Amino acid sequence: GGFIITGTAPKHVLLRAIGPSLAQFGVPDVLADPVLELHGPAAFVTITNDNWRDDPMQEALIIADGIPPTNNFESAIDATLAPGAYTAIVKGQNNTSGVALIEVYDLSQAIPAKLANISTRAFVSTGDNIVIAGFTLGGNSGDDRVVVRGIGPSLAPGSFPASAVLADPTLELRDGNGALLVANDNWQDDPAQAAELTAARLAPTKRRESGIAATLPPGLYTALLAGVN
């Protein structure tokens, strides 16, 4: 999971890697013991956490944040980060595998810095194993403008061989009740949406990639990324 902090001041964030507690929501094959790493710009010292209560100082900060993990084997990092690009990596202890959730919370919304971008690199399968990304808009009463993108072909050849990337991503944006708000296959399908993506300088670079521009009120949202057909 990647995220970018923009602005002129450090931002207080909480990162969590959730695995075992997903089972109570019916998620199969959960990651039993997540390990969380936070990587940052060149001078940033990588932070690693296995179980969120390992470090008493971090444990106290995480509890004070009000949203500690509910399982002792889950991971969390409380940090105050300078503007820049960061990556949170979730692994399984002893190279185990399973389904997990990576989260980042903005704990200092009033300062002149913004959690401007979140992104996730994941394998896209079918059925219950498509990519599911959630985000919450909160802290204010007005609407916010967001862009959601599904990127596949442009990951090759720089990051992956062409045979490994999702050739034709599709996107759905749903509200907290699961109702479909917007769907998109190829980002240029809707001329009005394409114009907004281009004006925001966030247009995908490949025709078959997906993009949605939307004005949304505060609430819970889910973006579903799948492959066409």
Side-chain angles (χ1 to χ4, degrees):
F3 60 97
I4 296 173
I5 295 173
T6 61
T8 58
K11 177 162 284 296
H12 183 197
V13 300
L14 175 68
L15 293 99
R16 308 196 316 175
I18 303 301
S21 59
L22 295 177
Q24 63 185 302
F25 301 105
V27 177
D29 303 320
V30 299
L31 187 63
D33 191 351
V35 178
L36 178 61
E37 295 178 1
L38 177 60
H39 300 259
F44 183 81
V45 178
T46 298
I47 302 172
T48 302
N49 175 257
D50 179 8
N51 303 323
W52 72 275
R53 288 184 140 156
D54 286 347
D55 182 330
M57 291 183 63
Q58 275 280 304
E59 178 188 13
L61 291 171
I62 293 164
I63 291 172
D65 293 337
I67 39 176
T70 58
N71 187 287
N72 289 345
F73 286 106
E74 294 173 330
S75 307
I77 294 171
D78 177 294
T80 298
L81 304 175
Y86 297 86
T87 303
I89 297 176
V90 179
K91 303 176 181 179
Q93 180 68 271
N94 299 322
N95 292 318
T96 52
S97 63
V99 178
L101 183 66
I102 174 68
E103 303 175 319
V104 56
Y105 292 88
D106 179 354
L107 301 179
S108 54
Q109 296 180 27
I111 68 167
K114 189 175 185 179
L115 192 59
N117 167 283
I118 54 174
S119 61
T120 301
R121 188 203 76 184
F123 181 77
V124 182
S125 187
T126 59
D128 291 337
N129 295 318
I130 64 172
V131 170
I132 303 171
F135 60 95
T136 302
L137 300 179
N140 292 285
S141 58
D143 292 350
D144 202 2
R145 194 70 182 156
V146 302
V147 166
V148 185
R149 309 195 311 172
I151 303 300
S154 59
L155 295 177
S159 302
F160 300 94
S163 60
V165 301
L166 188 64
D168 192 351
T170 65
L171 264 184
E172 291 182 355
L173 179 61
R174 295 180 177 268
D175 67 14
N177 296 316
L180 179 65
L181 301 176
V182 189
N184 177 258
D185 179 7
N186 304 320
W187 72 275
Q188 293 176 316
D189 288 347
D190 183 325
Q193 285 268 301
E196 291 191 54
L197 292 167
T198 302
R201 298 184 180 180
L202 292 171
T205 58
K206 299 294 185 181
R207 179 180 58 83
R208 289 188 174 182
E209 294 176 327
S210 304
I212 292 171
T215 299
L216 303 171
L220 307 177
Y221 297 92
T222 304
L224 305 178
L225 175 62
V228 74
N229 300 324

